[in-house]
Amino acid sequence: MKTIYYYTLLVFLTITMSNAQVGIGTTNPDATLHIVGTTVPGSVGGLVELLNEDFTGYTVVENNSSTGCTVDGWENTTTGDANVNCTSCSGNWLYIDSDESGCTQNATAIINLTTSPTNTTIDISFDYRYNNFGASGDSFRVYLYNNTLSSQQGANLINTTADANTSYSSSITVIASNSYSLRFEYNGTFDYGASLDNVLVTETSVASAGAYTFRLEDGQQQDGYVMTSDANGNATWMAPSGGGGSGTDSQTLSISGNDLTISNGNTVTIPSSGGGTYSFENGITESGGTVRLGGALTQATYIDLNSRDLYFEGTGTGDITFEDNSGQPQMTTNFSEGYTNFGAGGAFVDSDDGTSFSDTFGGGPFTKEFVLGAYNGSSGGTSIALGSIEYVVDGTNELFYEGGGFSPMDDFSSDLGADPFSGTTRRWDDVFADDFITPTNTYSRTSGKLSTTKDLNKGLSILMQLKPISYKDQMTIKGKAIPENTKEDKLGFYVEELLNVLPEAVKTSDWVSLDESGNKTHIVYNKPSGIKFTQIIPVTVKAIQEQQEQVEDLKSEVEELKKQIQELRDLINAKK
């Protein structure tokens, strides 16, 4: 009887235990083995970012009491203003501008840390520029604000009224686990402004061992292994399928026609037209099909060329065009013509493209190949802005532009217009000016050049040999003579006669650059190329002086004769 009783009890316990649920960390298990706990992963320590803001997609948060400005307060921009933009500002950045009459900016940009610090020291860095035109009361201040305590944390990071275009970097003491924000305060009335970019806040975390809910040590455990089982449910740790111990498989992605295939995986058919979106993380390579690009960028995009070259090639008539926000072209490249136009006019090459010409000194012929243009699409108004001091270089010939005008970079290095020994003539029509100054025809007694000077001995006798003439204007416009009834009378000299009488007034030679080396060669023209009228002025002055001497002599003689005549009259009257 006892045997039957114990057997019945054993069967009951077996059935009961077979349906039991075991809980670890919980008193209400809902599975055969139910484990509840909180895993805290271990950390090796190191640099942790609490804020990394480059302002891509950023929405401005600020305290703002600005008035009278086109935009009151801080702006997220990709253009900003040249007087305000910091040197390191790129992509998107924040800036504030008070450079307009009646504008008073009083705004503080608030940038909250995305993570609260776990330590008592954080590192803060950012790029900024503050440009103060000079008005009193204008300032730029940066400080760390404790959101938890609603108060400023420590001293100002920056508090200045002086111009600055630089970077800030420093370590700041904080309270662990408190919430913080960086605050950028600008005050300016009809002034320039400020900008900032690349705001980074970090801390250095301490390594920790971590705490885990479950551990199985069967002698097979290794870093990166996963738990797996055989067909009978026996569990152990093993390397992931595919090897490598990283938890991922190496796969090959291939496209054939409209099929996208992953090795050891499935095939997906890509739609051939309409509604298909294809994303590539690290570039596009296609050698046998058609590649299409388009759509809106979702983040700031940079291309690092490293040591590679970037080519845009064209074999047809397609253009590359950059448009402004209104859809107007700002730069268009015409691949078929090898021509780029800046402005809204399109890349239409000038009709002179492909024609030939010779240079001033007979070099060439050269073919005109237009490669760059600027055209705003209208008949007038196209403008090209350069800096405040710049120079334009053509080989070794340089023109220097500055606030007072423009000039060649070196003395006697360039001519205005051309009429050289080769016979090629490129003359200006009229030159309007207030003064015409020729420094090389004048000398100062303090210039140190007196050893090369001497009194001029050419005067009235030379001037009397000159034969002034009048002649009809021989102007041509694009190779065609102007109508006879429009030709004006001109005054001058026969250049050959002038050469014999006053050779200094005739252009017969010059120092010229025959190539791009910059070296000068003395050239004697086959025939006179023009008259230097300024050289006649000193001779004319000398002639007037000589003539005036003659006049003075004649005046003296006349006075003497008048005196003698009076004496004769007196004698005659005395004898009467």
Side-chain angles (χ1 to χ4, degrees):
M1 185 66 181
K2 284 185 177 181
T3 302
I4 296 174
Y5 172 76
Y6 286 122
Y7 176 76
T8 302
L9 179 61
L10 179 61
V11 171
F12 174 77
L13 291 174
T14 301
I15 295 172
T16 301
M17 292 298 294
S18 66
N19 292 301
Q21 295 175 323
V22 177
I24 301 176
T26 178
T27 59
N28 299 301
D30 56 12
T32 302
L33 178 61
H34 187 169
I35 303 174
V36 176
T38 300
T39 295
V40 179
S43 171
V44 297
L47 199 66
V48 177
E49 290 185 353
L50 307 180
L51 172 65
N52 189 346
E53 186 58 72
D54 65 358
F55 301 105
T56 300
Y58 178 80
T59 300
V60 175
V61 178
E62 61 183 341
N63 295 327
N64 184 6
S65 59
S66 304
T67 59
C69 308
T70 301
V71 176
D72 290 336
W74 290 87
E75 299 177 62
N76 187 339
T77 183
T78 58
T79 55
D81 184 270
N83 290 321
V84 177
N85 297 339
C86 63
T87 301
S88 299
C89 289
S90 63
N92 288 70
W93 62 92
L94 287 194
Y95 99 111
I96 188 169
D97 183 6
S98 62
D99 190 11
E100 56 182 308
S101 179
C103 171
T104 296
Q105 296 277 24
N106 184 356
T108 301
I110 302 172
I111 305 176
N112 289 299
L113 273 61
T114 54
T115 305
S116 296
T118 60
N119 296 327
T120 57
T121 301
I122 62 174
D123 296 312
I124 299 175
S125 66
F126 52 87
D127 301 316
Y128 75 99
R129 180 180 182 185
Y130 170 64
N131 194 354
N132 185 357
F133 185 73
S136 61
D138 298 346
S139 63
F140 179 64
R141 182 168 75 105
V142 184
Y143 59 95
L144 183 65
Y145 188 81
N146 188 318
N147 299 331
T148 303
L149 301 179
S150 299
S151 62
Q152 180 174 328
Q153 181 74 31
N156 293 321
L157 309 185
I158 296 172
N159 189 12
T160 184
T161 59
D163 294 350
N165 186 359
T166 184
S167 298
Y168 173 87
S169 180
S170 184
S171 297
I172 308 296
T173 300
V174 295
I175 301 173
S177 301
N178 279 12
S179 172
Y180 288 93
S181 60
L182 276 171
R183 305 206 170 190
F184 299 83
E185 175 189 280
Y186 173 79
N187 289 288
T189 299
F190 197 8
D191 210 304
Y192 286 136
S195 61
L196 65 118
D197 198 5
N198 307 315
V199 181
L200 180 64
V201 181
T202 62
E203 68 174 359
T204 302
S205 65
V206 179
S208 62
Y212 300 90
T213 301
F214 174 76
R215 175 178 294 177
L216 173 62
E217 296 183 45
D218 66 348
Q220 300 300 316
Q221 67 273 8
Q222 288 191 43
D223 183 30
Y225 271 32
V226 297
M227 182 175 286
T228 185
S229 71
D230 60 15
N232 296 318
N234 298 311
T236 188
W237 297 106
M238 293 185 65
S241 176
S246 62
T248 60
D249 250 345
S250 297
Q251 302 283 354
T252 300
L253 181 69
S254 61
I255 297 178
S256 177
N258 285 356
D259 292 336
L260 174 66
T261 303
I262 303 174
S263 61
N264 301 321
N266 296 321
T267 297
V268 178
T269 300
I270 302 174
S272 58
S273 63
T277 300
Y278 320 112
S279 299
F280 297 86
E281 289 293 330
N282 197 31
I284 298 175
T285 300
E286 173 58 58
S287 59
T290 300
V291 175
R292 297 180 180 178
L293 301 176
L297 292 177
T298 59
Q299 64 182 37
T301 301
Y302 303 90
I303 299 177
D304 184 354
L305 297 182
N306 200 358
S307 59
R308 304 288 185 176
D309 297 326
L310 177 64
Y311 293 94
F312 291 88
E313 297 181 348
T315 57
T317 58
D319 297 342
I320 289 181
T321 301
F322 292 87
E323 297 181 346
D324 62 18
N325 291 343
S326 65
Q328 287 291 330
Q330 294 303 301
M331 189 192 82
T332 302
T333 296
N334 186 326
F335 276 108
S336 61
E337 296 286 355
Y339 179 77
T340 299
N341 181 75
F342 288 88
F348 305 116
V349 186
D350 191 271
S351 59
D352 276 355
D353 189 57
T355 61
S356 60
F357 68 98
S358 296
D359 70 7
T360 299
F361 304 109
F366 303 101
T367 300
K368 294 180 182 179
E369 181 67 31
F370 287 84
V371 297
L372 185 66
Y375 176 47
N376 70 351
S378 301
S379 59
T382 299
S383 302
I384 301 175
L386 299 176
S388 59
I389 299 176
E390 53 281 324
Y391 64 93
V392 179
V393 180
D394 171 26
T396 57
N397 293 318
E398 299 176 325
L399 290 179
F400 182 62
Y401 293 81
E402 55 184 333
F406 75 95
S407 60
M409 288 294 289
D410 298 315
D411 230 4
F412 305 111
S413 61
S414 300
D415 293 334
L416 192 63
D419 188 8
F421 65 91
S422 63
T424 301
T425 301
R426 298 188 181 94
R427 292 173 290 183
W428 299 93
D429 185 13
D430 296 314
V431 178
F432 297 90
D434 185 26
D435 289 311
F436 186 75
I437 302 170
T438 55
T440 56
N441 287 2
T442 58
Y443 285 90
S444 169
R445 292 188 178 275
T446 61
S447 66
K449 298 179 180 180
L450 291 177
S451 61
T452 65
T453 64
K454 60 184 179 180
D455 291 340
L456 183 64
N457 58 11
K458 294 184 178 182
L460 185 60
S461 62
I462 296 296
L463 209 61
M464 294 301 295
Q465 297 179 57
L466 300 182
K467 183 179 181 181
I469 61 172
S470 69
Y471 59 93
K472 288 294 183 180
D473 191 354
Q474 300 301 312
M475 179 188 293
T476 60
I477 299 177
K478 293 188 175 182
K480 294 184 179 181
I482 61 176
E484 287 293 328
N485 61 346
T486 64
K487 292 183 177 180
E488 299 178 352
D489 287 329
K490 300 285 186 177
L491 305 180
F493 303 95
Y494 286 114
V495 67
E496 295 83 3
E497 292 183 4
L498 184 61
L499 178 63
N500 293 328
V501 176
L502 187 61
E504 297 90 341
V506 179
K507 185 73 171 177
T508 59
S509 65
D510 203 357
W511 286 91
V512 299
S513 295
L514 297 178
D515 52 37
E516 298 292 344
S517 67
N519 298 323
K520 295 289 186 179
T521 301
H522 188 252
I523 296 296
V524 178
Y525 299 155
N526 293 329
K527 60 180 181 180
S529 67
I531 296 174
K532 298 183 284 185
F533 281 93
T534 56
Q535 296 290 81
I536 301 176
I537 294 175
V539 178
T540 304
V541 172
K542 182 67 174 178
I544 293 173
Q545 292 173 340
E546 292 177 351
Q547 196 172 54
Q548 186 62 33
E549 289 179 0
Q550 294 176 2
V551 169
E552 294 298 328
D553 290 342
L554 289 173
K555 286 172 65 177
S556 297
E557 291 179 6
V558 169
E559 289 298 323
E560 182 62 30
L561 288 173
K562 288 170 64 177
K563 181 177 179 182
Q564 292 176 1
I565 291 172
Q566 185 61 44
E567 290 175 352
L568 288 173
R569 286 177 178 174
D570 293 341
L571 288 173
I572 293 172
N573 291 332
K575 291 181 178 182
K576 288 182 178 181

